[in-house]
Amino acid sequence: MIGSSLQGLLSGSIMAGTPLLYATLGEVMGERAGIVNLGLEGVMLMGAVVGFSTTVKTGDPALGVLAAALAGALFNTIFGFLVIERRANQLASGLALMFCGVGLSALIGAPYIGSQIKGLNEVRIPILSDLPVAGTTLFHYDILVYLVVPIAILVWWALFYTRWGLSLRAVGEKPTAAFAAGKNPYRLQYQALFIAGLLGGIAGAHLSLAVAKTWAEWMTAGRGFVAVALVIFSKWHPLRAIAGALLFGGAIALQLQMQARGVPVSPFLLDMLPYLLSLGVLAVWGGARRHVAPASLGQIFRGTE
Amino acid sequence: MGLTAEQANEAFRTRKKWWIKSIRFFGLFGFAFLVFAVLLLAFGKNPVKAYADIFSSTLGSTYGFSEILVKMIPLTLTAAAVAVPSRIWLINVGGEGQLYIGALFATWGALTLNTLPAWILLPLLCVLGVLGGGLWASISGILRARGWVSETISTLLMNYVAILLVNFFVFGPWKDPESANYPQTAEFVSAATLPSFAGTRVHAGFVFPLAVLILLYFVLSRTRWGLEMRAIGGNPEAARRNGISISRYMILLMFIGGGLAGLAGMIEVSAIQGRLRPSLSPGYGFVGFLISWMAGGNPLGIVAAAFLLAIVTAGGDILQMAHGLPGSAVNILNALILFVVLSRQGGKGGVK
């Protein structure tokens, strides 16, 4: 009994944590280049709706994921234009992007409410999936779950072990220095935001194609903001984000498990758990984070005129 | 004192720029409406008819116009809720949640103190609304003042908590047993209802935004507090060395901002709904954020922007009812307007 509920909790955390981790990795990428994107919520919604509608139309969830990633990237480029080209305030632009995503996804998704899809296939791994306990807990997911940890490692490697990543982080720390070293801060920031958009779009697609297998207006319900909090919790590090996403996914899974088991607490109070956990964790970790954040985060590079 | 030639020249140049700027500004608004029209066209709707419907049903009739005024009341207050903390660069995105908590506190008063006469009860409900929204926002103020959590993130997250809390009370302990399956509280007694003007829904609550904006203008431009806020907004380090307590201002301004949004919540339950429901606000807190950014925190600008966005908000209802669009589609137009405003304001502040 306890074993099975622990198992359920773990696999629930993995399922709920996966979209969070994709989104967090994207946000880490952007923030390392000095750009805070609160519009992640909107990017995820665009990914969710484009992924879902493409899957309904074509019957192929793989195409859905691809379309979602592209939609997320293009959508995030609008934000890039505002904050890089037009030097607009990043926080307000991010919120504008969120509004745009909420509205546009509702408009696109309206005909697809109630549509049925099979969703992403479960990928069975020979031998491993047949193990008695670990098999059902760890090896019965869709392909996006298996890919998320390798992608986190890839992001980590790209940021910390490539010339490109070094330049990107230099832009986030001190754009003038990067500029003086012959790098183009604007181009690097666009690249970071494009990749962040790809990941945000995939996060949304996982939510609509694998977790919920349906489309509903504003179905991300603040997960984009939770991911922004998760970036701070992870200290802007892709590998720490894995643990963070599992913890936050755990909060969502715990709340669902308690509701399913009929724990006599109002579902509305249980739903608060992920948000309260985000706030609590930020408050506890907050004091130490100042030294880790990219130094020019949220500021506008105005050239060296 | 006379102007030097350079100063006069400079003044002339900025004046000329101001004209060009405002023409371009309105051109950009037109651009936002145009992009939305193209989107409507792409989704098989007739944009000309949609805009015609929006304007005729809002500005074309007395009833429609009075509805715009009714919507301007909460919008002006939630915009002020963003504008007040923004004096010291605090970004309050929690207007929606603060509005809900203000409504929650006011509802508690209306349901439990329902034997009091109106002349005591109504002011008391206003105080409760302000207190609810204010205390809720102060949590974010304290978290920020301690340097723990950015107020942007905490106010955003607390929106969800606030709305869930209202849902908890409305579906649970405060649910009206007589209203079958509808999640709502019992109807307020008449002493807890703000009176409205004959034949319209325009209600006594309209004095609050006016008073708030006048007071805001006065405090900001004529008092020591306004000066100190400008000092903090201009150069926090210099202000701190002059003995101004920045963290006290952070908490205080978040309290005032949240209080104003909470007052909007009290007005909505007392004058419009007459009871607490989960669908209390069609996003007034978020639209207020937009208004404040459009106006740059300027009181008169807030009124003008609130007027425009009240039309857009009402337009959202029309698009939903007459054109079969989802209710939140109007958020696209809101976002487009904010995009053009932000891209005009770009480049203020930043590192070189």
Side-chain angles (χ1 to χ4, degrees), chain A residues 126-191:
Chain A
I127 306 169
L128 288 179
S129 301
D130 299 326
L131 292 175
V133 177
T136 44
T137 320
L138 293 175
F139 301 105
H140 68 117
Y141 301 103
D142 56 87
I143 185 78
L144 286 178
V145 175
Y146 296 124
L147 278 180
V148 71
V149 171
I151 286 181
I153 295 170
L154 191 70
V155 168
W156 169 69
W157 174 78
L159 279 177
F160 292 95
Y161 292 95
T162 66
R163 201 167 271 278
W164 177 79
L166 180 68
S167 314
L168 192 83
R169 285 184 295 128
V171 169
E173 296 290 342
K174 203 159 176 47
T176 38
F179 183 70
K183 309 294 176 195
N184 181 346
Y186 299 138
R187 190 197 294 160
L188 284 160
Q189 287 181 329
Y190 266 121
Q191 288 167 349

Side-chain angles (χ1 to χ4, degrees), chain B residues 126-214:
Chain B
C126 292
V127 171
L128 279 169
V130 171
L131 211 60
L135 290 175
W136 193 252
S138 312
I139 302 174
S140 299
I142 293 168
L143 289 174
R144 169 60 203 266
R146 291 277 169 89
W148 288 349
V149 187
S150 123
E151 78 289 352
T152 317
I153 288 285
S154 70
T155 49
L156 266 174
L157 290 170
M158 282 171 68
N159 283 332
Y160 293 92
V161 181
I163 294 171
L164 286 168
L165 199 61
V166 166
N167 273 303
F168 166 71
F169 278 100
V170 172
F171 280 89
W174 290 0
K175 186 167 180 291
D176 180 11
E178 284 166 31
S179 64
N181 284 323
Y182 286 108
Q184 55 186 16
T185 65
E187 196 165 7
F188 290 3
V189 292
S190 62
T193 311
L194 278 171
S196 50
F197 298 102
T200 66
R201 292 209 299 164
V202 180
H203 51 78
F206 86 96
V207 296
F208 291 113
L210 287 179
V212 163
L213 289 179
I214 292 168

Side-chain angles (χ1 to χ4, degrees), chain B residues 214-239:
Chain B
I214 292 168
L215 198 69
L216 197 62
Y217 176 78
F218 176 77
V219 170
L220 291 179
S221 61
R222 295 288 143 84
T223 65
R224 204 192 77 189
W225 301 312
L227 183 70
E228 290 191 347
M229 282 183 237
R230 253 174 299 161
I232 298 172
N235 186 342
E237 185 56 27

Side-chain angles (χ1 to χ4, degrees), chain A residues 82 86-87 91 95-96 99-100 103-104 106-107 176 217 222 228 266 268 272 279 286 289-290 299-300 302 305, chain B residues 91 93 147-148 152-153 158 160 165 167-168 171 286 289 325-326 328 331-332 335 338-339 343 346-347 351-352:
Chain A
L82 277 175
R86 301 300 313 170
R87 295 167 186 176
L91 298 174
L95 291 164
F99 287 128
C100 194
L104 201 55
L107 196 58
T176 38
E217 261 185 46
V228 175
S266 160
F268 299 109
M272 292 177 188
L279 280 171
R289 82 192 144 92
R290 247 161 290 156
Q299 290 173 335
I300 302 158
R302 316 242 277 147
E305 68 257 20
Chain B
I91 298 188
V93 211
W148 288 349
T152 317
I153 288 285
M158 282 171 68
Y160 293 92
L165 199 61
N167 273 303
F168 166 71
F171 280 89
F286 294 117
F289 177 82
L325 286 167
S328 52
N331 276 316
I332 304 172
L338 190 52
F339 281 159
S343 65
V351 287
K352 250 180 79 164

Side-chain angles (χ1 to χ4, degrees), chain A residues 34-36 78-94 96 298-302, chain B residues 293 338-350:
Chain A
I35 295 177
V36 186
I78 302 176
F79 174 74
F81 175 79
L82 277 175
V83 298
I84 301 170
E85 214 77 37
R86 301 300 313 170
R87 295 167 186 176
N89 180 292
Q90 292 180 3
L91 298 174
S93 305
Q299 290 173 335
I300 302 158
F301 177 57
R302 316 242 277 147
Chain B
W293 272 89
L338 190 52
F339 281 159
V340 298
V341 170
L342 285 167
S343 65
R344 286 299 301 144
Q345 291 172 341
K348 282 182 187 165

